[in-house]
Structure formats: C-alpha cells, structure tokens
Amino acid sequence: MIDIKSLPREQLKSTVTAAGFPAFRAAQIANWLDRGVTDFDRMTNLPADLREWLKTECCVPTVTIERRLESQKDETVKYLFRLADGETVESVLMHYHHGWSQCLSTQVGCRMGCTFCATGMGGLVRNLSAAEMMAQIEAAQADRGVRVSSIVLMGMGEPLDNYDNVLRFLRMLSEPDGVHIGMRHVSLSTCGLVDRIYRLMEENLQLTLSVSLHAPNDEIRSRTMPVNRRWGVEELLKACRDYADKTGRRISFEYAMIDGVNDTDACAEELAKKLRGMLCHVNLIPVNEVEGKTQKRSRAERITAFSDILTARGITVTVRRTLGADIDASCGQLRRAADREKNETERGNP
C-alpha cells in the first residue's frame, strides 16, 4: 500500500496521474490529508472511481492511543501510541506559558545505545514515516482538544538516523492547511551524527538544533555514548560551530547530569572552555533514573554548582524544568513496561 500522506507534493501528483487521474486531483487529496481526514470516503469532492482506487492502493497511517498517563502535578500527558503494524511509540504533550508543546518519536526503538537511555535498550525496530510522526500530533490534539504550537523531536529514536522521513515531516509541518507549525517552533535533537549535521546545515532550516553532548571529553562521552567512538567531541563541536555560523541559529547542548560521572567542577570548567565563543546555550538535565540502568541523577547542589561555573565563564545555561515527573515522562519507559506485560501474558503469567 502507498503511504499517500508521506508523499511529497510532486510525487503525489505523479502517483495520481500514473493511475490515470487528472493532476488537479492530487491537490484535492492533499487538502483533505492536511485537514487530518484519513477516510477516503469522506473526501467528497473526489469521484467514486478515484476514491475506490485510493482505498485499494493507498493508506494513511494513523495511531491509536494504547495508554495515556496524566500528571497530577501539571498538565503533562504521556501517550503510548500503537501503530498499524502493532508496534508502539511514545509521545509527551506539555503545557508551557507560550502554549502546548509535543515531544515526538521518530523511530521505533533506537540503535544509538546510549547507556542512560531507556529507548535504546531494545535496539532499533524500524523508522517511522512522515505520516506516522504527523499522526502523533493529530491524535494528541484530538484527544485533548488543544492546538500544538511547538514540536520537539526528542522522543524515541535518533531523528537524523531517519533523515529523509524526518525532512519530509518537517516540510509537512509548515503546510498552511495542516498543523501549520513554523520551523522556529521546532527543536530537533541528535546524539551527534556529524555527517547528517552537515547535511541538515545545507537545508538552512530555521529550527533549533539540540545536540546531546552529556560530556566535555572523549573519555567520558565514549563510555556513555557509543556514537562518540565514530565522531569525537572535537569533531562534533566543530560541526556545531559550522552549523551555527552557516544558519545563524543558536545550538542547544543537552547535558544530562549523572552523579559522579560528568558533574564535577573539572567537567564544568572543561565544557566552558570548549564552548567559549560559540553561539550556543547549555541545558542541564537531571538524568532520568531507569530500571536496569546504574546511573543516578546528580544532587541539586551539584547541578547548581555546575551551572554557576558555566555562567561565570560566560556560557548561557538553564536547568530543564521537570514536567510529568509523577508519570515518568521521559521516553522509552512506558513502552518497555507495556512490552514486559505483553511478554508475561504470552507466557501465561498475567
């Protein structure tokens, strides 16, 4: 079946004309898809033979809500979405003073293997299509009756490892008849795929690139992030400087604070030295403690001391506000729990 919603406009037109229908019908189909219509029979301005062809040859990927966790502390909602093939992904809807923001998944699982992350424990299952990323937004908006105004690609998966589908999704975001979210309201997170950072740089998109740095040197970063064995800290930071210089967009460095690993004064001093002069800011994140992982989050006073050193050295720094703390709003944990329950049920241990 053709995932018709993920097709670029020109490819949609060529697909429709190759099936023997006029080119203008592609624009009509796109208009319905942008409005979130997935039932071909509801596309009432299309002739019956075209609707029948769509039902026979095409599909519009959707997601269904498998589980929903609502925070009692704030308005955060965590979703476990089930895809058409039975796989599941997570997404988190968060409320800020500027509106609703949603953290989306780009893959089922992840191949990057970062030691502090729940998502990568099961490896990569498959990439998500652009339509499946969009479906997460549409499902959350319909469920809560809100409009999502900003997007964070920081859920399950490494977005730049699914480059083509993610780029197609980003183009879909800004289409005027769809959810219509501009690039300045999008953050894309990467663990540091340097070749893809350079490729993204050439797109000259006005999104925010968030780089999961988490360590100031190769010795620490290679222990916690296997990707660093391919592209070391110096090579990654050079790519980030080049990206900021070319796009004029500030880099956001994510730095998970892990007790006794990367949170010392010496680490802060080294980090400040390496970032000096770059258009960037550092977002300190108390690491999420995951079952099966040994890392513990840094103490509050240690995070404050680390932040003070960066600030004193002229580095802009924030400490991430914790949302949904009572529902484990970090990605990967809800899916793991659901998979564990499914396996126990299949073994006859409900």
Side-chain angles (χ1 to χ4, degrees), residues 230-335:
R230 172 64 180 85
W231 293 286
V233 170
E234 294 300 333
E235 191 174 2
L236 173 58
L237 293 183
K238 181 184 183 303
C240 291
R241 288 182 186 276
D242 292 344
Y243 185 95
D245 290 344
K246 172 72 182 298
T247 64
R249 299 290 291 168
R250 183 176 69 167
I251 300 286
S252 177
F253 287 108
E254 307 294 313
Y255 197 99
M257 297 290 288
I258 308 172
D259 183 43
V261 175
N262 64 351
D263 63 350
T264 64
D265 287 355
C267 284
E269 295 282 3
E270 186 177 4
L271 180 63
K273 182 178 180 180
K274 289 185 175 179
L275 298 185
R276 186 175 298 129
M278 190 189 304
L279 182 61
C280 69
H281 89 280
V282 176
N283 190 18
L284 301 180
I285 309 167
V287 74
N288 293 293
E289 297 181 7
V290 177
E291 181 183 352
K293 301 285 188 180
T294 59
Q295 287 91 348
K296 302 295 182 183
R297 67 177 53 188
S298 300
R299 302 183 309 279
E301 58 269 24
R302 183 91 296 274
I303 297 174
T304 299
F306 198 99
S307 175
D308 288 346
I309 291 172
L310 293 180
T311 301
R313 302 297 180 269
I315 305 298
T316 303
V317 58
T318 55
V319 178
R320 176 177 289 178
R321 174 187 170 199
T322 301
L323 293 175
D326 56 325
I327 56 172
D328 288 331
S330 60
C331 278
Q333 301 188 63
L334 186 56
R335 180 173 183 266

Side-chain angles (χ1 to χ4, degrees), residues 43-73:
M43 300 180 180
T44 50
N45 61 345
L46 302 182
D49 58 342
L50 175 53
R51 278 180 278 156
E52 191 60 36
W53 175 80
L54 288 169
K55 287 187 287 184
T56 303
E57 302 295 334
C58 302
C59 67
V60 181
T62 59
V63 300
T64 56
I65 299 172
E66 181 79 5
R67 293 190 182 182
R68 179 199 300 106
L69 300 180
E70 301 179 33
S71 173
Q72 300 304 305
K73 296 181 177 181

Side-chain angles (χ1 to χ4, degrees), residues 15 33 101 108 117 182 206-207 211 228 260 279 294 310 319 325 334 349:
T15 300
L33 296 174
S101 180
V108 181
C117 178
Q206 291 298 292
L207 51 74
V211 176
N228 197 72
L279 182 61
T294 59
L310 293 180
V319 178
L334 186 56
N349 299 311

